Amino acid sequence: MTGETPPVPTASPLLAPPALDWRGTTPVDRATGDIYFNAQDGRGETEGVFLAGTGLAQTWAGRRRFTVGETGFGTGLNFLCTWDLWRRTPEARRPGRLHFVSVEGHPLTPGDLARALAAFPDLAPLARQLVRQWPPGEPGFHRRCFDDDRVALTLLFGPAAHMLSQLEARVDAWFLDGFAPAANPAMWDDAVIAELSRVSAPGARLATYTAAGAVRRTLAAHGWSVTKVPGYGAKRDRIDARFERRPGSAYPGRPWCAPPAPRADAGPVAVVGNGVAAMHITRALRAEGVETVMIGAGEPASAVPGGVAVPRLSLGDDAAARLAVRSYLHLTAPIAPDPDAAILSLAPGEGARFDRLMARFAWADDQIRPVDAATASDLLGTRSTAPGYLLPKSPLAAPYMLMPDRPGRVTALDRCGDGWRLTLADGSALDAAHVVLATGSDLALCPTPLPVRLRWGRTVCLADPPMVPRRPVSFGGHAVATPKGLWVGSTFDKTDEAGDATADLLAKMAKALPDLADALAATPAARQWRGARSTTPDHLPLVGPLFAPERVAADYAPLARDASDPRVPPLEPLPGLTLVNGLGARGYQTGPLLGELVAAQLAGAPWPVERHLAEAMHPVRFAIKALVRGQAPVGADP
Ligand SMILES: Cc1cc2nc3c(=O)[nH]c(=O)nc-3n(C[C@H](O)[C@H](O)[C@H](O)COP(=O)(O)OP(=O)(O)OC[C@H]3O[C@@H](n4cnc5c(N)ncnc54)[C@H](O)[C@@H]3O)c2cc1C
Ligand SMILES: C[S@@+](CC[C@H](N)C(=O)[O-])C[C@H]1O[C@@H](n2cnc3c(N)ncnc32)[C@H](O)[C@@H]1O
């Protein structure tokens, strides 16, 4: 064996990359001794076994969206071959999307990924994009989009059975590509096959390179009709299969989070709002091939000048921490790192916790780079009393507004047939099969009472400042130099304050950047911008269907006696109404991933996050919590 890659030590909870040996250009897994792809003709085997075995080119013909599932992402060779084939078929030029969902317990390092894929020069342009967007080994789901969002890869990082148990999808074709069953039984066992069967579409196809009897029997036991066919190359035979069962209709999660049947293809979806939430929902729905109309008016909080998109890093592992990590990695994946323009995030008052935080977030250098206070001072050109981290991919929260298709304020929502009629302020109307409310701090159209709290914020522009930091910096607040002056933000106000916020903002700055704050003290604010954030008590957004509180109170009354009562029914939501709200102080980070989630739920496409994370954001959660505690849900009649 040549060119051995030593195992890379990682800080928990990042998944350890595999220890590899290299047989020529082919990686070999040291733990099982198995190869990642056929050393003679890796691409030929992928095309012969998986692409031809599932009849992909014929099966996806004419489909608006199509989902391939895989066990064992490995080097991504199967994904790249599938993507390449998709690009060469007419479906790639029609509205719609190819989804590829793949589970991987030991993600390769980006270096090993690139090295392995270098064996396939024809795939180099696609391989480069994959490597550029490759996530760090954070356990959980990672959504990556390619080809103008027309191809969506969802990586499920973690043990196969557990990760698949969190998946919501309807998979049309499966590639089973774990290491050989004898050496790697956990990838082929009953739990894995049960979970992949649960998310298989009726008639789904399946192909694998093995013909192991145990695999054939397990597949058959879960409703697959299995055929032994000639194997590829020297292998005698292998398996193709077709899913003959209708998948069970029971949603495996919390009954009150059971999603309504996807309706996005029943007619146009109207997205109300013109901030980051509405924009990303519209973008993601269009990527799914869904006819979408965005209707909005007013200046959104999303138009905040001088904002930054920095991650909320924490040592916790709750839903808010997971959402922060996954949405930040999703946002920044396609961004080319720029160390010179990188935002510096300072961590004043963190003490020893800072080192633990940096050990926890041991991501690649182009994603995060810890710096001590002295280096931070050099990078900013002004004294920093705090260490921090450079974020070479973090974007500024550029104030932009996607132009709505229908500019205007929606003043009324009325049921109309199976859908909704939206009336605009100018008296015009529009009918839609489904409505998504993404209206930020204005909840006037939302029929369901929810515990949303507004937190106002002021940000000031200091014109002709005597000193500016050499790069955008965050410190609890943030400062961003622009040609018009230095924007310093932002306050958190319980009421809508109009007074000059400069002194408060500089006091916050002084904790990390005392000299800069001193120097700016005499600079008057040339402009002040105000906006309102919509926040929730648990700091998680509200994403999902709306409901009538009285109905929830009646249907879920048994939970007051027994919070785990399994007999409660699925949620009966208000038909055709979805809410996206409560993006709080970080809409720029979460907006893109939340857009993907809403589009997936409406279109019946694979969800980009684990079920438990989607459930943690469900708007009904507060009503259920109240019932369990014996309180009336918000808005229910006493
Ligand atoms: C001062 C301040 C600083 C901030 N700084 C940052 C930052 O640095 N980084 C960051 O990530 N986030 C920041 N945020 C938070 C961020 O702005 C929000 O999380 C985000 O903008 C929320 O987006 P949204 O689309 O949900 O709502 P909004 O951006 O508020 O958009 C909702 C839009 O819907 C429109 N609308 C409402 N009702 C109707 C209707 N009936 N018909 C038509 N249109 C309607 C509204 O007028 C509004 O334009 C800041 C917020 C404030 C206030
Ligand atoms: C043969 S390789 C996959 C090759 C891959 N399809 C490709 O195109 O390169 C098998 C993969 O399955 C992964 N794997 C094995 N057992 C697993 C398990 N129990 N859970 C998750 N992933 C597992 C391995 O880490 C390895 O990457």
Side-chain angles (χ1 to χ4, degrees):
M1 307 243 176
T2 54
E4 290 188 357
T5 309
V8 182
T10 52
S12 175
L14 297 186
L15 296 169
L20 300 180
D21 296 309
W22 293 84
R23 198 175 291 160
T25 54
T26 309
V28 181
D29 176 55
R30 196 174 299 162
T32 56
D34 210 343
I35 47 171
Y36 278 73
F37 48 72
N38 183 308
Q40 278 74 46
D41 185 8
R43 187 165 183 180
E45 178 156 22
T46 289
E47 290 175 345
V49 173
F50 298 112
L51 275 51
T54 53
L56 271 194
Q58 302 82 46
T59 324
W60 69 32
R63 294 279 301 272
R64 191 182 297 194
R65 57 193 82 86
F66 190 90
T67 300
V68 177
E70 180 187 48
T71 53
F73 189 77
T75 65
L77 176 62
N78 292 343
F79 166 60
L80 296 190
C81 291
T82 306
W83 177 10
D84 184 59
L85 176 66
W86 170 264
R87 285 179 141 202
R88 289 184 277 114
T89 54
E91 280 63 36
R93 288 177 289 285
R94 299 197 186 117
R97 207 177 212 194
L98 169 69
H99 281 274
F100 196 99
V101 179
S102 186
V103 62
E104 177 52 61
H106 299 283
L108 267 63
T109 63
D112 283 340
L113 195 69
R115 179 173 172 185
L117 291 172
F120 308 98
D122 292 355
L123 296 170
L126 306 188
R128 265 196 299 277
Q129 297 181 56
L130 174 66
V131 174
R132 197 164 57 221
Q133 294 216 38
W134 189 239
E138 287 286 340
F141 289 17
H142 299 271
R143 168 67 54 90
R144 296 293 178 265
C145 300
F146 304 96
D147 279 356
D148 291 332
D149 294 340
R150 302 290 315 285
V151 173
L153 169 66
T154 310
L155 291 161
L156 281 45
F157 277 0
H162 177 60
M163 283 295 117
L164 290 170
S165 76
Q166 286 293 322
L167 178 64
E168 285 302 312
R170 277 287 163 268
V171 176
D172 300 296
W174 280 103
F175 304 166
L176 301 198
D177 199 14
F179 292 128
N184 185 205
M187 195 60 150
W188 307 86
D189 66 12
D190 192 75
V192 169
I193 305 295
E195 287 301 340
L196 69 84
S197 304
R198 177 183 64 79
V199 294
S200 292
R205 307 273 296 263
L206 179 150
T208 178
Y209 66 87
T210 182
V215 175
R216 294 205 310 265
R217 286 189 292 279
T218 315
L219 283 169
H222 286 281
W224 295 83
S225 78
V226 181
T227 317
K228 240 206 254 185
V229 295
Y232 184 82
K235 289 182 190 134
R236 201 152 50 106
D237 35 38
R238 60 172 200 84
I239 296 171
D240 279 350
R242 185 183 287 272
F243 193 49
E244 302 290 4
R245 236 177 239 172
R246 298 200 69 75
S249 56
Y251 172 76
R254 297 175 169 141
W256 48 91
C257 295
R263 278 180 44 83
D265 296 334
V269 175
V271 179
V272 185
N274 56 341
V276 280
M279 193 181 81
H280 287 293
I281 296 159
T282 302
R283 178 197 53 72
L285 279 167
R286 289 193 176 137
E288 295 290 351
V290 174
E291 186 189 344
T292 309
V293 188
M294 180 175 151
I295 312 156
E299 186 180 38
S302 307
V304 56
V308 290
V310 295
R312 190 184 69 86
L313 299 184
S314 83
L315 292 169
D317 189 31
D318 56 9
R322 289 180 188 200
L323 177 68
V325 166
R326 243 65 75 56
S327 59
Y328 179 73
L329 291 174
H330 173 74
L331 166 81
T332 53
I335 298 176
D338 181 354
D340 296 333
I343 296 176
L344 178 58
S345 189
L346 298 175
E350 292 280 4
R353 195 173 159 278
F354 177 74
D355 293 333
R356 286 198 286 141
L357 209 55
M358 291 301 97
R360 156 68 184 83
F361 289 97
W363 296 342
D365 257 18
D366 67 356
Q367 192 80 60
I368 188 166
R369 199 175 304 166
V371 295
D372 59 20
T375 312
S377 306
D378 286 348
L379 288 166
L380 293 169
T382 181
R383 183 166 61 97
S384 168
T385 56
Y389 38 91
L390 271 175
L391 297 162
K393 289 176 153 214
S394 261
L396 294 176
Y400 58 96
M401 284 185 271
L402 181 71
M403 287 316 289
D405 306 293
R406 288 278 292 264
R409 177 157 296 276
V410 178
T411 52
L413 266 182
D414 297 292
R415 269 314 260 167
C416 173
D418 269 355
W420 293 93
R421 173 152 299 164
L422 296 88
T423 307
L424 276 72
D426 64 4
S428 64
L430 178 140
D431 291 344
H434 198 104
V435 176
V436 183
L437 295 177
T439 55
S441 56
D442 182 345
L443 281 156
L445 285 178
C446 178
T448 307
L450 290 161
V452 165
R453 297 179 197 144
L454 298 193
R455 288 289 174 267
W456 281 264
R458 289 166 288 162
T459 178
V460 296
C461 183
L462 307 178
D464 299 322
M467 180 198 255
V468 294
R470 285 199 195 121
R471 59 180 66 235
V473 57
S474 77
F475 43 81
H478 49 260
V480 177
T482 70
K484 292 194 174 143
L486 181 69
W487 281 100
V488 183
S490 299
T491 60
F492 274 79
D493 306 325
K494 286 195 172 154
T495 50
D496 187 10
E497 306 287 341
D500 185 346
T502 309
D504 287 352
L505 292 168
L506 293 185
K508 204 190 280 187
M509 180 190 280
K511 291 186 184 143
L513 299 167
D515 298 351
L516 181 63
D518 261 4
L520 296 173
T523 311
R527 204 186 140 198
Q528 176 159 286
W529 187 92
R530 294 190 347 251
R533 310 171 184 89
S534 157
T535 72
T536 62
D538 59 9
H539 308 291
L540 281 162
L542 294 152
V543 181
L546 287 167
F547 55 91
E550 303 75 19
R551 181 75 200 246
V552 167
D555 284 354
Y556 297 105
L559 296 178
R561 291 185 296 279
D562 174 4
S564 57
D565 191 330
R567 291 161 306 171
V568 292
L571 180 74
E572 195 68 57
L574 296 174
L577 259 192
T578 294
L579 180 78
V580 178
N581 206 285
L583 275 64
R586 285 202 153 60
Y588 272 88
Q589 286 88 312
T590 51
L593 191 59
L594 299 184
E596 289 286 319
L597 176 60
V598 171
Q601 292 182 333
L602 295 191
W607 294 10
V609 296
E610 298 93 304
R611 186 191 317 108
H612 77 80
L613 201 45
E615 290 189 345
M617 296 189 274
H618 199 295
V620 81
R621 65 188 185 272
F622 296 108
I624 297 290
K625 261 184 215 155
L627 274 171
V628 169
R629 289 186 192 139
Q631 303 155 347
V634 189
D637 287 337

